[in-house]
Amino acid sequence: MEVSSVKDIDVRGKRVFLRVDFNTPLDEQNNVSDDTKIRASLPTINYLLEQGAKVIIASHLGRPKGQFKPEFSLKPVAERLMQLLNRPVKLAEDCIGEKALKAVAGMQPGDIVMLENVRFHEEETKNDPSFARQLAQLADVYVNDAFGTAHRAHASTAGITEYLPGAAGFLMEKEINYMSKALESPERPLLAIIGGSKVSDKILVLENLIGKVDTILIGGGMANTFFRAMGYSMGNSLVEEDKLDVAKNTMDKARAAGVKFMLPVDLMMADKIEKNARHQLVPVDKVPDGWAAVDIGPKTAELYGREIARAKTIIWNGPMGVFEIDDFAKGTNYIAHAVAEADALTIVGGGQSVQAIRKLGLTDRISHVSTGGGASLEFLEGKELPGIKALEKKPVAVK
């Protein structure tokens, strides 16, 4: 997937519209509680500043649904960015119109203006051409560093490229390069660990990976549907009864493609999915009535660990169980440590797997932790992402 790089554009003295994904969580005091996404775009921001660009930052925050809502203002995000950069960041009162134009007027090289939440306007998510044109009027060049929004064809991620030359920021480049390498030219064995609660959420990922990977390890609630398709009783476990044929076909396709498709051999069961619930370990063919599967068991973890240890490229998306509850997080934690210790190119994507890696302090031991939940999932599904496609449209003014 070829996109132009910010390094190829002459940004000296130019107004650069930088789309980032600063959709960060805020605490009760309305301060940024996790600045991971902000830090992820610092290399691009610092590069633009070093090159003498006038940096105009745009992002969304939450889902204000086209209305101005103070709780979704980017003010706390601008304040956190100012702390990280140790330089002024001016927050515009709007992202288009007179207020935005006034905020960027008179900018000098090295200045930073953050536009107010682009989703305060419903035209943003509708990819309205007029709105996109108004955004473009603020700048000379467009740089997209928001991989987390690349699966959305919005005005600030796609439409704006009709009016400005565009390129990818360093974070966007990194995401594309790591994911593309893993899927298109991996060092083998290539292993995919796919978890989560539902087969329906990951079926397109599985279909795209079959034929590309050597081994697939299945965990989480989605394993229950595969077991049910094999004729096992799953008690009160989450099972998508309408997806049994899909599950069976997936296993048949993997077998036909020569892909090693592995399911748990033992499960942690609970009488209730809550803290301090009674729980017990059982083989997959001995699930008791009235109990629900909440995690993979230790035999499965050990079995999966051996597969992880021999892999040279690893993609992990989705937890092994209800990891939010400590008693049911052991399987996910085991897999996280195994991936971190592997002598392999490792990519972790998807909100919950990333949460697990961060919670355990293993982020620095993973080759690439994706910032895009839905975007990384759709990339793994083999879908064309509008935010990336938009950067391929036309040549940019190169140095």
Side-chain angles (χ1 to χ4, degrees):
M1 198 173 291
E2 295 294 326
V3 297
S4 300
S5 168
V6 63
K7 289 181 292 187
D8 299 326
I9 308 176
D10 181 5
V11 298
R12 288 169 297 185
K14 302 276 183 67
R15 298 171 302 164
V16 178
F17 189 106
L18 175 62
R19 179 54 159 100
V20 294
D21 179 12
F22 284 176
N23 185 28
T24 59
L26 305 177
D27 61 22
E28 293 179 358
Q29 286 73 46
N30 211 38
N31 295 317
V32 173
S33 58
D34 182 350
D35 63 7
T36 302
K37 288 187 174 183
I38 301 175
R39 290 178 181 273
S41 278
L42 290 181
T44 300
I45 295 171
N46 282 321
Y47 173 80
L48 292 172
L49 294 172
E50 289 164 6
Q51 295 296 307
K54 304 168 185 177
V55 185
I56 302 165
I57 297 175
S59 180
H60 70 285
L61 179 66
R63 296 183 178 180
K65 298 182 179 179
Q67 299 176 41
F68 179 85
K69 295 182 178 179
E71 64 268 30
F72 294 117
S73 171
L74 284 167
K75 184 173 184 291
V77 178
E79 289 172 352
R80 183 62 187 138
L81 179 61
M82 189 156 40
Q83 292 168 358
L84 291 171
L85 292 174
N86 194 30
R87 62 195 302 163
V89 175
K90 180 180 179 181
L91 180 68
E93 294 180 44
D94 204 344
C95 60
I96 58 168
E98 288 303 316
K99 291 178 180 177
L101 288 166
K102 183 179 178 182
V104 302
M107 285 183 74
Q108 298 299 312
D111 286 352
I112 306 170
V113 168
M114 182 177 291
L115 303 176
E116 188 53 281
N117 195 336
V118 290
R119 289 191 187 172
F120 281 169
H121 297 265
E122 62 179 7
E123 295 87 351
E124 159 67 3
T125 55
K126 292 179 179 179
N127 196 13
D128 180 78
S130 176
F131 181 75
R133 191 182 300 111
Q134 289 184 76
L135 293 175
Q137 286 173 353
L138 302 172
D140 308 302
V141 173
Y142 174 74
V143 174
N144 192 339
D145 213 28
F147 179 76
T149 66
H151 58 313
R152 305 295 187 205
H154 291 173
S156 68
T157 61
I160 192 172
T161 62
E162 296 292 337
Y163 310 101
L164 289 176
F170 296 135
L171 175 61
M172 178 71 86
E173 278 189 289
K174 184 181 178 185
E175 295 272 10
I176 294 170
N177 291 341
Y178 268 102
M179 303 280 270
S180 297
K181 178 176 172 56
L183 294 177
E184 295 166 14
S185 56
E187 186 177 352
R188 295 187 180 274
L190 169 56
L191 169 76
I193 308 163
I194 306 297
S197 59
K198 296 180 179 179
V199 170
S200 55
D201 291 340
K202 302 288 172 74
I203 188 60
L204 293 176
V205 173
L206 291 171
E207 287 182 352
N208 190 47
L209 291 178
I210 289 172
K212 288 187 170 76
V213 304
D214 301 295
T215 303
I216 296 176
L217 310 181
I218 298 291
M222 63 187 295
N224 305 330
T225 302
F226 287 104
F227 286 131
R228 192 75 190 90
M230 295 164 67
Y232 293 146
S233 170
M234 294 309 296
N236 280 358
S237 304
L238 173 67
V239 173
E240 291 181 279
E241 295 288 350
D242 61 336
K243 294 292 184 291
L244 300 184
D245 287 343
V246 171
K248 188 175 185 303
N249 289 340
T250 300
M251 291 187 285
D252 289 342
K253 287 178 183 176
R255 193 177 300 112
V259 175
K260 194 173 184 178
F261 193 91
M262 298 181 66
L263 289 162
V265 295
D266 60 344
L267 297 167
M268 175 69 78
M269 310 297 299
D271 63 344
K272 296 176 183 176
I273 303 179
E274 59 184 42
K275 289 182 180 179
N276 303 317
R278 289 189 300 152
H279 49 279
Q280 61 174 311
L281 283 168
V282 300
V284 295
D285 58 350
K286 296 286 192 297
V287 170
D289 291 341
W291 291 62
V294 290
D295 196 7
I296 59 172
K299 290 181 181 177
T300 302
E302 193 174 321
L303 194 65
Y304 283 8
R306 286 200 290 270
E307 292 295 326
I308 291 168
R310 61 186 290 271
K312 287 300 177 184
T313 305
I314 299 168
I315 300 169
W316 179 21
N317 188 294
M320 297 293 100
V322 188
F323 86 105
E324 300 92 335
I325 298 174
D326 288 343
D327 284 341
F328 312 144
K330 292 176 183 175
T332 299
N333 292 347
Y334 187 100
I335 296 302
H337 281 286
V339 171
E341 291 164 11
D343 181 17
L345 175 75
T346 52
I347 300 170
V348 179
Q352 292 183 315
S353 343
V354 172
Q355 281 177 38
I357 288 291
R358 287 186 184 140
K359 186 177 179 181
L360 295 169
L362 299 173
T363 304
D364 292 342
R365 296 171 64 185
I366 304 298
S367 305
H368 179 60
V369 178
S370 179
T371 58
S376 62
L377 197 62
E378 292 195 17
F379 200 108
L380 292 177
E381 290 173 3
K383 290 182 178 179
E384 183 176 270
L385 305 189
I388 296 175
K389 182 65 178 176
L391 300 178
E392 299 177 311
K393 281 185 180 178
K394 47 180 146 5
V396 299
V398 296
K399 289 181 180 177

